[in-house]
Amino acid sequence: MALSFLDRSHTVAPAGWSRWLIPPAALSVHLAIGQAYAWSVFKSPLQDALGLSGTQSALPFQLGIVMLGLSAAFGGTLVERNGPRWAMFVSATCFSSGFLISALGVALSQFWVVVLGYGLVGGVGLGIGYISPVSTLIKWFPDRPGMATGIAIMGFGGGALIASPWSRQMLDSFGTDTGGIATAFLVHGIVYAVFMSLGVLLIRVPADGWRPKGWTPPKPDGNSMITRANVSARNAIRTPQFWLLWVILCFNVTAGIGILEKADPMIRAFFEDTSAPVSVAAASGFVALLSLTNMLGRFVWSSTSDLVGRKNIYRLYLGAGALMYLVIALTTNSSKLVFVLCALVILSFYGGGFATIPAYLKDLFGTYQVGAIHGRLLTAWSTAGVLGPLIVNAIADSQGEAGKSGPDLYSTSLYVMIGLLVVGFLANELVRPVHPRFHEPAGEPGRATAGKDA
């Protein structure tokens, strides 16, 4: 059967297969699904064409992020069982179909169909696609797991840098009425289906017993955070380590998304009453710079974690992140340079936190079901995606109603973020090696295979 091509047994790499083909395969998926960060390009055109409010036009994106977390959590075990090629195929099918369904919805002026397509169906593609290459990359790069996952997850952060200007160009060419938007969605669905298929074709898993040339696993160290054992996804969620990492990821993301979601209005509000207010064009440039830093931080910091260790790098994310927020809170609008530099550092930590967490999970729980464990942990992202904007927007609205303006709109939010990062920092300090009672038995087939592949 044609679909047998997707079976895990048909994805085992032949002798001599280059592991450096795996990151491009992962990037083909992550660069595509990273389009989610460019949804704002369609917000205003949809509002005008379908008569929507700003809240309504955000629904497809919001549902997509919720479905990302849910599908990653509930589909993680299926991804591990069926393999990365199956997962990438499902992701490409759902993500592309989401655009095609949305195109139909816009053409018929039925917004609920757009929500169903992009948010529900496309959101499943987001979640399955996000976790699809994680465990495979870790098995191909046991010597540099942070770098490997950082390359792929960098693609998710950078997808919007490609999708945003591309989508704007299509809307300029096709128009911003229902016909033009529907055509743009249709082109997105077709192009992304082809692009993501490259990953489906390229992806391979290493053969049993494969190891990088010249690399030997490090010897067990009683003080090391890195385990040689393996923990199943079912057992992982019973450990305190999993929930400590859940708190760490949730609060690190909340702090980053708090700036990212309000970056444009925040920088303009901060400096509106100064002698040099920020223009709309400059604010847009600031947002683009944040996106670039978010993307680069995913690769740079996760690669650095291979050298300094995962616990140490999260000390940097959380401790220095809190310090950056404190500097912004204390300096307010006295220096644009200080504000911008601090925001860029925070967003680099935001991206780095996403990219480093799979390697942290691998260190603690082994490679056996790390993709499924990662999927369950991504519910922290779904929570943070609601929590971060809610904190910043609600406080800014209440401060505005009280007659405050400028930096005063956000000062309370800044201190809330500092508090969350401090809690995350303390949670990271509590992380210890997983107790042996949660380890898979030495004779467990899945464990033995995972250990050889790594």
Side-chain angles (χ1 to χ4, degrees):
M1 294 178 64
L3 288 181
S4 65
F5 170 73
L6 303 176
D7 290 347
R8 175 185 282 275
S9 61
H10 291 173
T11 63
V12 177
W17 187 266
S18 174
R19 64 174 177 166
W20 292 103
L21 291 173
I22 307 305
L27 273 173
S28 72
V29 173
H30 274 244
L31 281 171
I33 63 177
Q35 185 280 335
Y37 278 151
W39 173 255
S40 60
V41 172
F42 294 106
K43 277 176 61 67
S44 294
L46 282 171
Q47 289 169 210
D48 295 336
L50 300 180
L52 307 173
S53 67
T55 301
Q56 289 174 320
S57 66
L59 285 175
F61 171 77
Q62 290 174 321
L63 180 58
I65 295 300
V66 170
M67 291 306 301
L68 185 158
L70 293 177
S71 60
F74 291 104
T77 302
L78 287 175
V79 171
E80 288 290 334
R81 181 184 306 148
N82 296 324
R85 180 175 289 168
W86 174 88
M88 289 181 175
F89 177 79
V90 170
S91 174
T93 301
C94 291
F95 189 66
S96 300
S97 297
F99 273 109
L100 300 181
I101 294 170
S102 297
L104 178 64
V106 175
L108 298 176
S109 297
Q110 297 294 320
F111 183 62
W112 69 269
V113 178
V114 179
V115 176
L116 174 68
Y118 189 92
L120 185 65
V121 179
V124 172
L126 285 175
I128 299 298
Y130 192 88
I131 64 173
S132 62
V134 169
S135 64
T136 304
L137 282 165
I138 287 175
K139 290 172 183 176
W140 276 110
F141 292 88
D143 49 338
R144 286 175 279 186
M147 181 212 69
T149 55
I151 290 175
I153 295 176
M154 177 181 69
F156 190 86
L161 294 179
I162 298 172
S164 183
W166 180 49
S167 300
R168 288 186 189 279
Q169 183 58 49
M170 275 196 283
L171 292 174
D172 289 341
S173 300
F174 300 141
T176 56
D177 57 359
T178 54
I181 299 171
T183 303
F185 280 156
L186 179 64
V187 173
H188 274 72
I190 294 171
V191 172
Y192 280 135
V194 173
F195 189 65
M196 296 173 77
S197 295
L198 296 176
V200 176
L201 295 173
L202 280 177
I203 197 68
R204 297 288 190 281
V205 296
D208 288 355
W210 179 88
R211 286 174 181 169
K213 186 176 180 180
W215 179 81
T216 55
K219 295 181 179 180
D221 181 349
N223 297 320
S224 175
M225 293 294 296
I226 302 176
T227 183
R228 293 288 302 278
N230 286 280
V231 180
S232 68
R234 182 180 179 183
N235 279 337
I237 61 173
R238 300 174 181 175
T239 66
Q241 287 83 355
F242 176 89
W243 294 105
L244 288 170
L245 291 186
W246 194 98
V247 170
I248 291 166
L249 181 63
C250 182
F251 288 174
N252 190 62
V253 172
T254 299
I257 211 169
I259 280 188
L260 187 61
E261 193 267 342
K262 291 282 285 186
D264 186 309
M266 181 182 286
I267 192 170
R268 285 192 283 131
F270 255 74
F271 298 97
E272 65 183 356
D273 295 326
T274 65
S275 58
V278 176
S279 66
V280 174
S284 298
F286 173 63
V287 174
L289 195 57
L290 288 179
S291 297
L292 180 62
T293 308
N294 171 19
M295 179 185 72
L296 294 177
R298 294 170 186 246
F299 175 70
V300 173
W301 293 126
S302 60
S303 297
T304 304
S305 76
D306 289 332
L307 302 175
V308 303
R310 252 59 77 172
K311 190 167 187 175
N312 285 332
I313 205 70
Y314 272 95
R315 284 171 173 149
L316 177 67
Y317 298 157
L318 300 160
L323 180 61
M324 293 299 102
Y325 264 113
L326 181 61
V327 171
I328 293 175
L330 295 178
T331 59
T332 62
N333 58 7
S334 62
S335 172
K336 285 183 187 175
L337 179 61
V338 170
F339 179 92
V340 171
L341 288 178
C342 288
L344 292 178
V345 172
I346 290 170
L347 260 294
S348 76
F349 293 160
Y350 167 80
F354 276 122
T356 312
I357 204 69
Y360 209 162
L361 291 171
K362 176 260 182 187
D363 289 351
L364 289 169
F365 301 110
T367 60
Y368 172 33
Q369 291 189 336
V370 68
I373 299 170
H374 184 218
R376 286 159 172 76
L377 194 75
L378 288 181
T379 55
W381 183 5
S382 296
T383 302
V386 175
L387 189 61
L390 180 63
I391 291 172
V392 176
N393 287 309
I395 293 177
D397 289 345
S398 65
Q399 296 291 70
E401 291 171 0
K404 296 184 178 181
S405 61
D408 291 338
L409 291 174
Y410 300 101
S411 57
T412 302
S413 298
L414 298 176
Y415 286 107
V416 171
M417 297 303 176
I418 292 170
L420 293 178
L421 288 171
V422 169
V423 172
F425 185 92
L426 295 175
N428 186 54
E429 293 303 303
L430 293 175
V431 174
R432 298 289 186 273
V434 175
H435 194 280
R437 72 174 180 273
F438 296 106
H439 293 169
E440 290 297 291
E444 191 73 22
R447 178 188 181 279
T449 301
K452 290 179 181 178
D453 287 351

